[in-house]
Amino acid sequence: MNRRDLLKLGGLTLSQAATSGSPLFGLQNLPVPAAAPPDGKPDYTLRISPVQVELDRSHILSTIGYNGSAPGPVLRMREGKPVTIEVINDTDTPELVHWHGMLIPSAVDGTEEEGSPLVPPHGRYRFQLTPGPAGSRWYHSHAMAMDDLHKGSFTGQFGFVYVEGASNLGQYDQELFLSLRDWEPFFTSTMEDDDDDTHNEPVLEKPTNPNTDPNGLEVGSMTYSINDKALGFGEPIRVRQGQRLLLHFLNASAIENRRVALAGHKMTVIALDGNPVPTPRAVDSLFLGAGERADVTVEMTNPGIWILGSTEKMVREAGLGVIMEYAGQHRQPQWIDPPRRPWDYTIFGRDTSSSPAPEQTVEMIFEKIPGGSGKFNTWLINGKPYPHDREFVLQKGTRYRLVMRNRTDDAHPMHLHRHLWELVEINGRKTAGIIKDTVVVPYYGRATVDFTADQPGLSLFHCHLQQHMDYGFKALFRYA
Ligand SMILES: [Cu+2]
């Protein structure tokens, strides 16, 4: 990077800090400049441009995608091997590409709040990053949307990154990348979705004001898909008896947590958010908060034609599913409702006896201020919407415990950029060894995670529901 670029980066950062209303953006918090990317052909080019997604014959959607499709291509990278990426923005709005789950500098993390440069409209930006850790990561727009449902993660700007590394997911006959998506977002004041999954849990965190009426606007969807096709359209997944499948799931929704199942089969969870779990377990269904991933294996031992899809009938019938077809079978695709067991991360963990104690504890209280009819709710962390002052300052090398107390009537998928955390407790159930970057904090409940502050630079912490993030539900972690 030459001096002019450095100045440009610094200037951008400061002006962004000024416009985001953060007066305490000290010099020591300027992002560490990324290594100068080499000239010549980049290893990966991502072109952000309008695309059409043909979910089925009657639903051809116009959105923004990567390289002519939505989802974008599966990018395979090797852990620790630097890559040069060029992002070309063919749209009229500034964009950011965030690398979710990677441990990379703020300058290339693709997050405006951290000071990553915006890719200007009809401009391009080239940078280098060193992929890692190994596993299922993903890339997506981190632009704000606010009241515009054609921006940010409401668009088709998402895709898998698979970082190849030493971790071995075992033998398999077929590998598939499956992103769960909703489309045609609209504003609504009544939300009925699979957040209800956490409603049967004990109420550990009571709101100060339990009255959430009149609720502000949330976002619903009309149509759904796995990858770019609605259930019953596109090619089925063709399998043979005796095969073992490796399925990578991603909930790429901007707005909803989701539960999926494969009729007639159990799925064995081997990794969460791309990181191998201490105790792989077979489950009847998977619950994924927005932004979460799960890698599962499935033994194809039950010949037939089956539906893999949302456990919510309405959502499945509106497209969220794909047909799994054994060779030589010819009947109608079948769905079987899985047993309704609450999702419990801790069954994949290990015993807590060898867990190190944290050195510092950070308490966080999440609250909602109902927006009232036709307006938006505001979301608070410790009594304030974004931006905060210097409330979350980390000492490098310190092991932190983050206690997230959710005093709202929604389950929030909370994500910390540029760090991995270890789940230590969910609604009073203790666990260890589950390494994640996103965790769903239950309805009126609590999640506790530990992490080591080993990634200097600014790191955004936020709810992965676009609407919640845009209306206050985020905070910047900085290093002392
Ligand atoms: Cu949220």
Side-chain angles (χ1 to χ4, degrees):
M1 177 173 289
N2 62 32
R3 187 175 147 73
R4 200 191 62 219
D5 286 345
L6 250 176
L7 284 171
K8 211 163 76 188
L9 183 57
L12 246 178
T13 304
L14 286 172
S15 67
Q16 283 167 8
T19 53
S20 68
S22 167
L24 294 165
F25 206 111
L27 267 180
Q28 71 277 20
N29 281 318
L30 284 177
V32 181
D39 295 330
K41 194 178 178 303
D43 298 303
Y44 301 90
T45 302
L46 286 179
R47 184 177 283 275
I48 304 169
S49 63
V51 297
Q52 286 203 327
V53 183
E54 189 177 349
L55 296 182
D56 59 37
R57 272 179 230 103
S58 56
H59 292 93
I60 301 170
L61 314 176
S62 294
T63 183
I64 309 290
Y66 293 124
N67 296 4
S69 66
V74 175
L75 305 179
R76 285 190 180 267
M77 300 180 180
R78 181 142 282 278
E79 184 178 23
K81 182 173 178 273
V83 294
T84 301
I85 300 170
E86 183 155 79
V87 179
I88 302 170
N89 182 2
D90 284 345
T91 73
D92 297 329
T93 48
E95 268 300 343
L96 296 126
V97 181
H98 169 53
W99 306 89
H100 186 127
M102 289 229 209
L103 307 179
I104 53 177
S106 313
V108 295
D109 193 46
T111 307
E112 189 174 3
E113 294 85 345
E114 294 172 5
S116 317
L118 294 158
V119 189
H122 304 284
R124 57 180 69 204
Y125 177 52
R126 181 184 280 227
F127 54 94
Q128 198 171 54
L129 61 79
T130 303
S136 291
R137 314 289 161 211
W138 67 298
Y139 61 107
H140 64 85
S141 169
H142 218 286
M144 305 247 290
M146 304 306 288
D147 61 352
D148 186 344
L149 299 181
H150 302 283
K151 274 193 180 164
S153 54
F154 294 120
T155 70
Q157 293 174 76
F158 63 95
F160 273 98
V161 187
Y162 195 79
V163 182
E164 312 271 3
S167 74
N168 182 4
L169 298 183
Q171 298 290 314
Y172 50 85
D173 301 294
Q174 284 197 57
E175 179 181 31
L176 294 146
F177 290 87
L178 303 171
S179 26
L180 317 177
R181 250 319 271 235
D182 30 70
W183 302 96
E184 300 183 282
F186 63 93
F187 289 117
T188 170
S189 50
T190 54
M191 279 295 283
E192 289 170 43
D193 59 32
D194 223 359
D195 288 3
D196 289 1
D197 204 273
T198 62
H199 280 205
N200 299 326
E201 301 254 326
V203 172
L204 296 189
E205 295 292 331
K206 295 230 171 55
T208 20
N209 175 7
N211 184 8
T212 61
D213 290 325
N215 193 25
L217 294 174
E218 298 270 355
V219 182
S221 290
M222 302 287 282
T223 46
Y224 302 85
S225 65
I226 290 185
N227 295 338
D228 59 349
K229 287 286 177 273
L231 174 60
F233 295 84
E235 292 296 305
I237 297 170
R238 294 195 171 85
V239 299
R240 293 183 171 278
Q241 189 170 0
Q243 283 189 330
R244 168 180 283 182
L245 266 51
L246 173 61
L247 307 179
H248 304 284
F249 284 96
L250 157 67
N251 182 354
S253 172
I255 44 175
E256 283 178 65
N257 303 326
R258 188 69 65 212
R259 189 183 277 267
V260 290
L262 170 57
H265 299 76
K266 283 183 185 277
M267 300 185 276
T268 301
V269 174
I270 54 174
L272 291 174
D273 290 355
N275 311 304
V277 293
T279 314
R281 291 280 287 263
V283 292
D284 298 303
S285 63
L286 277 179
F287 177 73
L288 289 172
E292 286 190 304
R293 289 87 65 215
D295 298 331
V296 308
T297 56
V298 189
E299 307 294 337
M300 305 317 293
T301 54
N302 191 4
I305 299 193
W306 303 102
I307 294 173
L308 188 177
S310 170
T311 56
E312 285 174 280
K313 185 167 189 277
M314 195 200 77
V315 171
R316 193 171 64 246
E317 288 177 352
L320 204 147
V322 61
I323 290 166
M324 186 121 9
E325 186 181 295
Y326 279 73
Q329 297 287 318
H330 302 285
R331 55 179 165 171
Q332 284 297 307
Q334 272 189 294
W335 172 258
I336 303 168
D337 282 319
R340 188 89 187 155
R341 290 196 191 95
W343 181 247
D344 182 3
Y345 291 116
T346 67
I347 64 169
F348 309 109
R350 60 167 163 73
D351 78 89
T352 56
S353 54
S354 58
S355 295
E359 296 157 85
Q360 297 266 352
T361 297
V362 178
E363 294 275 342
M364 282 189 161
I365 294 171
F366 305 151
E367 291 164 296
K368 172 167 107 173
I369 301 180
S373 103
K375 302 211 183 70
F376 299 102
N377 300 315
T378 302
W379 302 89
L380 311 180
I381 297 177
N382 292 356
K384 274 186 242 171
Y386 182 86
H388 301 75
D389 297 330
R390 305 186 70 83
E391 289 174 41
F392 305 108
V393 179
L394 306 174
Q395 301 288 335
K396 185 165 187 268
T398 299
R399 183 92 174 153
Y400 285 90
R401 174 155 295 176
L402 187 56
V403 183
M404 295 180 271
R405 301 177 183 278
N406 179 11
R407 297 186 181 164
T408 81
D409 57 353
D410 270 312
H412 300 284
M414 301 308 300
H415 171 44
L416 176 60
H417 285 220
R418 307 177 54 250
H419 295 76
L420 297 179
W421 56 33
E422 179 179 1
L423 189 64
V424 297
E425 188 226 295
I426 190 110
N427 271 358
R429 294 186 299 275
K430 297 215 181 317
T431 189
I434 300 173
I435 309 300
K436 294 180 68 25
D437 52 55
T438 308
V439 65
V440 178
V441 188
Y443 164 96
Y444 292 138
R446 189 170 69 218
T448 302
V449 295
D450 284 0
F451 68 97
T452 302
D454 52 5
Q455 296 289 323
L458 295 170
S459 298
L460 193 65
F461 169 84
H462 64 93
C463 176
H464 219 280
L465 307 183
Q466 174 96 41
Q467 176 109 65
H468 297 183
M469 174 175 74
D470 288 350
Y471 289 92
F473 210 159
K474 56 183 171 180
L476 265 182
F477 284 27
R478 56 189 87 222
Y479 280 72

Coordinates of all heavy atoms in Angstrom, one line a residue, residues 72-141:
G72 N -24.0 -16.3 -4.4 CA -22.8 -16.2 -5.2 C -22.1 -17.5 -5.2 O -22.5 -18.5 -4.6
P73 N -21.0 -17.6 -6.0 CA -20.2 -18.9 -6.1 C -19.7 -19.3 -4.7 O -19.4 -18.5 -3.9 CB -19.1 -18.6 -7.0 CG -18.9 -17.1 -7.0 CD -20.3 -16.5 -6.7
V74 N -19.6 -20.7 -4.5 CA -18.9 -21.2 -3.4 C -17.4 -20.9 -3.6 O -16.8 -21.3 -4.6 CB -19.1 -22.7 -3.2 CG1 -18.2 -23.2 -2.0 CG2 -20.6 -23.0 -3.0
L75 N -16.8 -20.1 -2.7 CA -15.4 -19.8 -2.8 C -14.6 -20.8 -2.0 O -14.8 -20.8 -0.8 CB -15.1 -18.3 -2.4 CG -15.9 -17.2 -3.0 CD1 -15.6 -15.9 -2.4 CD2 -15.7 -17.2 -4.6
R76 N -13.7 -21.5 -2.6 CA -12.8 -22.4 -1.8 C -11.5 -21.7 -1.6 O -10.8 -21.3 -2.6 CB -12.7 -23.7 -2.5 CG -13.9 -24.6 -2.4 CD -13.7 -26.0 -2.9 NE -14.9 -26.8 -2.7 CZ -15.1 -27.6 -1.7 NH1 -14.3 -27.6 -0.6 NH2 -16.2 -28.3 -1.6
M77 N -11.0 -21.7 -0.4 CA -9.7 -21.1 -0.1 C -8.9 -22.0 0.8 O -9.5 -23.0 1.3 CB -9.9 -19.7 0.6 CG -10.7 -18.7 -0.2 SD -10.9 -17.2 0.7 CE -11.8 -16.2 -0.5
R78 N -7.6 -21.8 0.9 CA -6.8 -22.7 1.7 C -6.4 -21.9 3.0 O -6.0 -20.7 2.9 CB -5.6 -23.2 1.0 CG -4.7 -24.1 1.8 CD -4.1 -25.3 1.0 NE -5.1 -26.4 0.8 CZ -5.4 -27.3 1.7 NH1 -4.8 -27.3 2.9 NH2 -6.2 -28.3 1.4
E79 N -6.6 -22.5 4.1 CA -6.2 -21.8 5.4 C -4.8 -21.3 5.4 O -3.9 -22.1 5.1 CB -6.4 -22.8 6.5 CG -6.2 -22.2 7.9 CD -6.5 -23.2 9.0 OE1 -6.4 -24.4 8.8 OE2 -6.8 -22.8 10.2
G80 N -4.6 -20.1 5.7 CA -3.2 -19.5 5.8 C -2.6 -19.1 4.5 O -1.5 -18.5 4.5
K81 N -3.2 -19.4 3.4 CA -2.6 -19.0 2.1 C -3.3 -17.7 1.6 O -4.4 -17.7 1.2 CB -2.9 -20.1 1.0 CG -2.3 -19.8 -0.3 CD -2.4 -21.0 -1.2 CE -1.8 -20.7 -2.6 NZ -2.8 -20.1 -3.5
P82 N -2.5 -16.6 1.6 CA -3.1 -15.3 1.3 C -3.7 -15.3 -0.1 O -3.2 -15.9 -1.0 CB -1.9 -14.3 1.3 CG -0.9 -15.0 2.2 CD -1.1 -16.5 1.9
V83 N -4.9 -14.6 -0.2 CA -5.5 -14.4 -1.5 C -5.8 -13.0 -1.8 O -6.0 -12.2 -0.9 CB -6.9 -15.2 -1.5 CG1 -6.6 -16.7 -1.4 CG2 -7.8 -14.8 -0.4
T84 N -5.8 -12.6 -3.1 CA -6.1 -11.3 -3.5 C -7.6 -11.3 -4.1 O -7.9 -12.2 -4.9 CB -5.2 -10.8 -4.6 OG1 -3.9 -10.8 -4.0 CG2 -5.5 -9.4 -5.1
I85 N -8.4 -10.4 -3.6 CA -9.8 -10.4 -4.0 C -10.1 -9.0 -4.6 O -9.6 -8.0 -4.0 CB -10.7 -10.6 -2.7 CG1 -10.4 -12.0 -2.1 CG2 -12.2 -10.5 -3.1 CD1 -11.0 -12.2 -0.8
E86 N -10.7 -9.0 -5.7 CA -11.2 -7.7 -6.2 C -12.7 -7.7 -6.2 O -13.3 -8.6 -6.7 CB -10.6 -7.5 -7.6 CG -11.0 -6.2 -8.2 CD -10.1 -5.7 -9.3 OE1 -10.2 -6.1 -10.4 OE2 -9.2 -4.9 -9.0
V87 N -13.2 -6.6 -5.6 CA -14.7 -6.5 -5.6 C -15.0 -5.3 -6.6 O -14.5 -4.2 -6.5 CB -15.2 -6.1 -4.2 CG1 -16.7 -5.9 -4.2 CG2 -14.8 -7.2 -3.2
I88 N -15.9 -5.6 -7.5 CA -16.3 -4.6 -8.5 C -17.8 -4.3 -8.3 O -18.6 -5.3 -8.2 CB -16.1 -5.2 -10.0 CG1 -14.7 -5.6 -10.2 CG2 -16.6 -4.1 -11.0 CD1 -14.4 -6.3 -11.5
N89 N -18.1 -3.1 -8.1 CA -19.4 -2.7 -7.7 C -20.1 -2.0 -8.9 O -19.9 -0.9 -9.2 CB -19.4 -1.7 -6.5 CG -20.8 -1.3 -6.0 OD1 -21.8 -1.8 -6.6 ND2 -20.8 -0.4 -5.0
D90 N -21.0 -2.8 -9.5 CA -21.7 -2.3 -10.7 C -23.0 -1.6 -10.3 O -23.9 -1.3 -11.2 CB -22.1 -3.4 -11.7 CG -20.9 -3.8 -12.5 OD1 -19.9 -3.1 -12.5 OD2 -21.0 -4.9 -13.1
T91 N -23.3 -1.4 -9.0 CA -24.5 -0.8 -8.6 C -24.4 0.7 -8.3 O -23.2 1.2 -8.3 CB -25.1 -1.5 -7.3 OG1 -24.3 -1.1 -6.2 CG2 -25.1 -3.0 -7.5
D92 N -25.5 1.4 -8.0 CA -25.4 2.8 -7.7 C -25.2 3.1 -6.2 O -25.3 4.3 -5.8 CB -26.8 3.4 -8.1 CG -27.0 3.3 -9.6 OD1 -26.0 3.3 -10.3 OD2 -28.2 3.2 -10.0
T93 N -25.0 2.1 -5.4 CA -24.9 2.4 -3.9 C -23.5 1.8 -3.4 O -23.1 0.8 -3.9 CB -26.0 1.7 -3.1 OG1 -26.2 0.4 -3.5 CG2 -27.3 2.5 -3.3
P94 N -22.9 2.4 -2.4 CA -21.7 1.9 -1.9 C -21.9 0.5 -1.3 O -23.0 0.3 -0.8 CB -21.3 2.9 -0.8 CG -22.2 4.1 -1.0 CD -23.4 3.7 -1.7
E95 N -21.0 -0.3 -1.3 CA -21.1 -1.7 -0.8 C -20.0 -2.1 0.0 O -18.9 -1.5 0.0 CB -21.3 -2.7 -2.0 CG -22.8 -3.0 -2.4 CD -23.6 -3.5 -1.2 OE1 -23.1 -4.0 -0.2 OE2 -24.9 -3.4 -1.3
L96 N -20.2 -3.2 0.8 CA -19.2 -3.8 1.6 C -19.4 -5.3 1.6 O -20.5 -5.8 1.6 CB -19.3 -3.4 3.1 CG -19.1 -1.9 3.4 CD1 -20.3 -1.3 4.1 CD2 -17.9 -1.7 4.2
V97 N -18.3 -6.0 1.5 CA -18.3 -7.5 1.5 C -17.7 -8.0 2.8 O -16.5 -7.8 3.0 CB -17.6 -8.2 0.3 CG1 -17.7 -9.7 0.4 CG2 -18.2 -7.6 -1.0
H98 N -18.5 -8.5 3.7 CA -18.0 -9.0 5.0 C -17.7 -10.5 4.9 O -18.5 -11.3 4.3 CB -19.1 -8.7 6.0 CG -18.8 -9.4 7.4 ND1 -17.6 -9.3 8.0 CD2 -19.5 -10.3 8.1 CE1 -17.6 -10.0 9.1 NE2 -18.8 -10.6 9.2
W99 N -16.6 -10.9 5.5 CA -16.2 -12.3 5.6 C -16.5 -12.9 6.9 O -15.7 -12.8 7.9 CB -14.7 -12.4 5.2 CG -14.4 -11.7 3.9 CD1 -14.2 -10.3 3.7 CD2 -14.5 -12.2 2.6 NE1 -14.1 -10.1 2.4 CE2 -14.3 -11.2 1.7 CE3 -14.8 -13.5 2.1 CZ2 -14.3 -11.4 0.3 CZ3 -14.8 -13.7 0.8 CH2 -14.6 -12.7 -0.1
H100 N -17.7 -13.4 7.0 CA -18.3 -13.8 8.3 C -17.5 -15.1 8.9 O -17.5 -16.1 8.2 CB -19.8 -14.1 8.1 CG -20.5 -14.4 9.4 ND1 -21.7 -13.7 9.7 CD2 -20.4 -15.3 10.3 CE1 -22.2 -14.2 10.8 NE2 -21.4 -15.2 11.2
G101 N -17.0 -15.0 10.1 CA -16.3 -16.1 10.7 C -14.8 -16.2 10.5 O -14.2 -17.0 11.0
M102 N -14.3 -15.2 9.7 CA -12.8 -15.2 9.5 C -12.1 -14.3 10.5 O -12.7 -13.3 10.9 CB -12.6 -14.7 8.0 CG -13.0 -15.7 7.0 SD -11.6 -15.9 5.8 CE -12.6 -16.3 4.4
L103 N -10.9 -14.7 10.8 CA -10.1 -13.9 11.7 C -9.1 -13.0 10.9 O -8.0 -13.4 10.6 CB -9.3 -14.8 12.7 CG -10.2 -15.8 13.4 CD1 -9.3 -16.7 14.3 CD2 -11.3 -15.2 14.2
I104 N -9.6 -11.9 10.4 CA -8.9 -11.0 9.5 C -8.9 -9.6 10.0 O -9.8 -9.2 10.8 CB -9.4 -11.1 8.1 CG1 -11.0 -10.8 8.1 CG2 -9.1 -12.5 7.5 CD1 -11.6 -10.9 6.7
P105 N -8.0 -8.7 9.5 CA -7.9 -7.3 10.0 C -9.2 -6.6 9.7 O -9.9 -6.8 8.7 CB -6.7 -6.7 9.3 CG -5.9 -7.9 8.8 CD -6.9 -9.0 8.6
S106 N -9.5 -5.6 10.6 CA -10.7 -4.7 10.4 C -10.7 -4.1 9.0 O -11.8 -3.9 8.4 CB -10.7 -3.5 11.4 OG -10.4 -4.0 12.7
A107 N -9.5 -3.7 8.5 CA -9.5 -3.0 7.2 C -10.1 -3.9 6.0 O -10.5 -3.3 5.0 CB -8.0 -2.6 6.9
V108 N -10.0 -5.2 6.2 CA -10.6 -6.0 5.1 C -11.8 -6.8 5.5 O -12.3 -7.7 4.8 CB -9.5 -7.0 4.5 CG1 -8.3 -6.2 3.9 CG2 -8.9 -7.9 5.6
D109 N -12.3 -6.5 6.7 CA -13.4 -7.3 7.2 C -14.7 -6.9 6.6 O -15.7 -7.6 6.6 CB -13.5 -7.1 8.8 CG -14.4 -8.0 9.4 OD1 -14.4 -9.2 9.2 OD2 -15.3 -7.6 10.3
G110 N -14.7 -5.8 5.9 CA -15.9 -5.4 5.1 C -17.0 -4.8 6.0 O -18.2 -5.2 5.8
T111 N -16.7 -4.0 7.0 CA -17.6 -3.5 7.9 C -17.3 -2.0 8.1 O -16.3 -1.6 8.6 CB -17.5 -4.2 9.3 OG1 -17.6 -5.6 9.0 CG2 -18.5 -3.8 10.2
E112 N -18.3 -1.1 7.8 CA -18.1 0.3 7.8 C -17.7 0.8 9.2 O -16.8 1.6 9.4 CB -19.4 1.0 7.3 CG -19.2 2.5 7.1 CD -20.4 3.2 6.5 OE1 -21.4 2.5 6.3 OE2 -20.3 4.4 6.2
E113 N -18.4 0.3 10.2 CA -18.2 0.7 11.6 C -16.7 0.4 12.0 O -16.2 1.1 12.9 CB -19.1 0.0 12.5 CG -20.6 0.4 12.3 CD -21.3 -0.4 11.2 OE1 -20.6 -1.1 10.4 OE2 -22.5 -0.4 11.2
E114 N -16.1 -0.6 11.4 CA -14.7 -1.0 11.8 C -13.7 -0.2 11.0 O -12.5 -0.3 11.1 CB -14.5 -2.5 11.5 CG -15.3 -3.4 12.5 CD -15.2 -4.8 12.1 OE1 -14.4 -5.2 11.1 OE2 -15.9 -5.6 12.7
G115 N -14.2 0.6 10.0 CA -13.3 1.4 9.2 C -12.9 0.8 7.9 O -12.0 1.3 7.2
S116 N -13.5 -0.4 7.5 CA -13.2 -1.0 6.2 C -13.7 0.0 5.1 O -14.8 0.5 5.2 CB -13.9 -2.3 6.0 OG -13.8 -3.1 7.1
P117 N -12.9 0.2 4.1 CA -13.4 1.1 3.0 C -14.6 0.6 2.3 O -14.8 -0.6 2.1 CB -12.2 1.1 2.0 CG -11.0 0.6 2.8 CD -11.6 -0.4 3.8
L118 N -15.5 1.5 1.9 CA -16.6 1.1 1.1 C -16.2 0.9 -0.3 O -15.2 1.6 -0.8 CB -17.6 2.3 1.1 CG -18.3 2.6 2.5 CD1 -18.8 4.0 2.5 CD2 -19.4 1.6 2.7
V119 N -16.8 0.0 -1.0 CA -16.6 -0.1 -2.5 C -17.5 0.9 -3.1 O -18.7 0.7 -3.1 CB -16.8 -1.6 -3.0 CG1 -16.4 -1.7 -4.4 CG2 -16.2 -2.6 -2.1
P120 N -17.0 1.9 -3.8 CA -17.9 3.0 -4.3 C -18.8 2.5 -5.4 O -18.4 1.5 -6.1 CB -16.9 4.1 -4.8 CG -15.6 3.4 -4.9 CD -15.6 2.2 -4.0
P121 N -19.9 3.2 -5.6 CA -20.7 2.8 -6.7 C -19.9 2.9 -8.0 O -19.1 3.8 -8.2 CB -21.8 4.0 -6.7 CG -21.8 4.5 -5.4 CD -20.4 4.3 -4.8
H122 N -20.1 1.9 -8.9 CA -19.4 1.8 -10.1 C -17.8 1.9 -10.0 O -17.1 2.4 -10.8 CB -19.9 2.8 -11.1 CG -21.4 2.7 -11.3 ND1 -21.9 1.7 -12.1 CD2 -22.4 3.4 -10.8 CE1 -23.3 1.7 -12.0 NE2 -23.6 2.8 -11.2
G123 N -17.4 1.5 -8.8 CA -15.9 1.5 -8.5 C -15.5 0.1 -8.2 O -16.2 -0.9 -8.3
R124 N -14.2 0.0 -7.8 CA -13.7 -1.4 -7.4 C -12.7 -1.2 -6.3 O -12.2 -0.1 -6.0 CB -13.0 -2.0 -8.6 CG -11.9 -1.3 -9.3 CD -11.3 -2.0 -10.5 NE -12.3 -2.1 -11.6 CZ -12.2 -3.1 -12.5 NH1 -11.3 -4.1 -12.4 NH2 -13.1 -3.1 -13.5
Y125 N -12.5 -2.3 -5.6 CA -11.6 -2.3 -4.5 C -10.9 -3.6 -4.4 O -11.5 -4.7 -4.5 CB -12.4 -2.0 -3.2 CG -11.5 -2.1 -1.9 CD1 -10.4 -1.3 -1.8 CD2 -11.9 -2.9 -0.8 CE1 -9.6 -1.4 -0.6 CE2 -11.2 -2.9 0.3 CZ -10.0 -2.2 0.4 OH -9.3 -2.2 1.6
R126 N -9.5 -3.5 -4.3 CA -8.7 -4.8 -4.3 C -8.0 -4.9 -3.0 O -7.5 -3.9 -2.5 CB -7.7 -4.7 -5.4 CG -6.8 -5.9 -5.5 CD -5.8 -5.7 -6.6 NE -6.4 -6.0 -7.9 CZ -5.8 -6.8 -8.8 NH1 -4.6 -7.3 -8.6 NH2 -6.3 -7.0 -10.0
F127 N -8.0 -6.0 -2.4 CA -7.4 -6.2 -1.1 C -6.9 -7.7 -1.0 O -7.3 -8.5 -1.8 CB -8.4 -5.9 0.0 CG -9.7 -6.6 0.0 CD1 -9.8 -7.8 0.7 CD2 -10.7 -6.1 -0.8 CE1 -11.0 -8.5 0.6 CE2 -11.9 -6.8 -0.8 CZ -12.1 -8.0 -0.1
Q128 N -6.1 -7.9 0.1 CA -5.6 -9.2 0.3 C -6.0 -9.6 1.7 O -6.0 -8.8 2.6 CB -4.1 -9.2 0.2 CG -3.5 -10.5 0.1 CD -2.0 -10.5 -0.3 OE1 -1.2 -9.8 0.5 NE2 -1.6 -11.1 -1.3
L129 N -6.4 -10.9 1.8 CA -6.6 -11.4 3.2 C -6.1 -12.8 3.3 O -5.8 -13.5 2.3 CB -8.1 -11.4 3.5 CG -9.1 -12.2 2.7 CD1 -9.2 -13.7 3.0 CD2 -10.5 -11.6 2.9
T130 N -5.8 -13.3 4.5 CA -5.3 -14.6 4.8 C -6.5 -15.4 5.4 O -6.9 -15.2 6.5 CB -4.1 -14.6 5.7 OG1 -3.1 -13.7 5.1 CG2 -3.5 -15.9 5.9
P131 N -7.0 -16.4 4.6 CA -8.2 -17.1 5.0 C -8.0 -17.9 6.3 O -6.9 -18.5 6.4 CB -8.6 -18.0 3.9 CG -7.8 -17.5 2.7 CD -6.6 -16.8 3.3
G132 N -8.9 -18.0 7.2 CA -8.9 -18.8 8.3 C -9.8 -18.4 9.4 O -10.3 -17.2 9.3
P133 N -10.1 -19.3 10.3 CA -9.7 -20.7 10.4 C -10.5 -21.5 9.3 O -11.4 -21.1 8.7 CB -10.0 -21.1 11.8 CG -11.2 -20.2 12.2 CD -11.0 -18.9 11.4
A134 N -10.0 -22.8 9.2 CA -10.6 -23.7 8.3 C -12.1 -23.9 8.7 O -12.5 -23.9 9.8 CB -9.9 -25.1 8.3
G135 N -12.9 -24.2 7.6 CA -14.3 -24.5 7.9 C -15.3 -23.7 7.1 O -14.9 -22.9 6.2
S136 N -16.6 -23.8 7.3 CA -17.6 -23.2 6.6 C -17.7 -21.7 7.1 O -18.2 -21.4 8.2 CB -19.0 -23.8 6.9 OG -19.0 -25.1 6.3
R137 N -17.3 -20.8 6.2 CA -17.5 -19.4 6.5 C -18.4 -18.9 5.4 O -18.9 -19.6 4.5 CB -16.1 -18.7 6.4 CG -15.0 -19.4 7.1 CD -15.1 -19.3 8.6 NE -14.3 -20.3 9.3 CZ -14.7 -20.9 10.5 NH1 -15.8 -20.6 11.1 NH2 -13.9 -21.8 11.0
W138 N -18.7 -17.6 5.5 CA -19.6 -17.0 4.4 C -19.3 -15.6 4.1 O -18.6 -14.9 5.0 CB -21.0 -17.4 4.5 CG -21.8 -16.8 5.6 CD1 -21.6 -16.9 7.0 CD2 -23.0 -15.9 5.5 NE1 -22.6 -16.2 7.7 CE2 -23.4 -15.6 6.8 CE3 -23.7 -15.5 4.4 CZ2 -24.6 -14.8 7.0 CZ3 -24.8 -14.7 4.7 CH2 -25.3 -14.4 5.9
Y139 N -19.7 -15.1 3.0 CA -19.5 -13.7 2.7 C -20.8 -13.1 2.3 O -21.7 -13.7 1.8 CB -18.5 -13.5 1.5 CG -18.8 -14.2 0.2 CD1 -19.2 -13.4 -0.9 CD2 -18.7 -15.5 0.0 CE1 -19.5 -13.9 -2.1 CE2 -19.0 -16.1 -1.2 CZ -19.4 -15.3 -2.3 OH -19.7 -15.9 -3.5
H140 N -21.0 -11.8 2.7 CA -22.3 -11.2 2.5 C -22.2 -9.7 2.6 O -21.2 -9.2 3.1 CB -23.4 -11.7 3.4 CG -23.1 -11.4 4.9 ND1 -23.5 -10.2 5.5 CD2 -22.5 -12.2 5.9 CE1 -23.2 -10.3 6.8 NE2 -22.6 -11.4 7.0
S141 N -23.1 -9.0 2.0 CA -23.1 -7.5 2.1 C -23.3 -7.1 3.6 O -24.1 -7.7 4.3 CB -24.3 -6.9 1.3 OG -24.5 -5.6 1.6

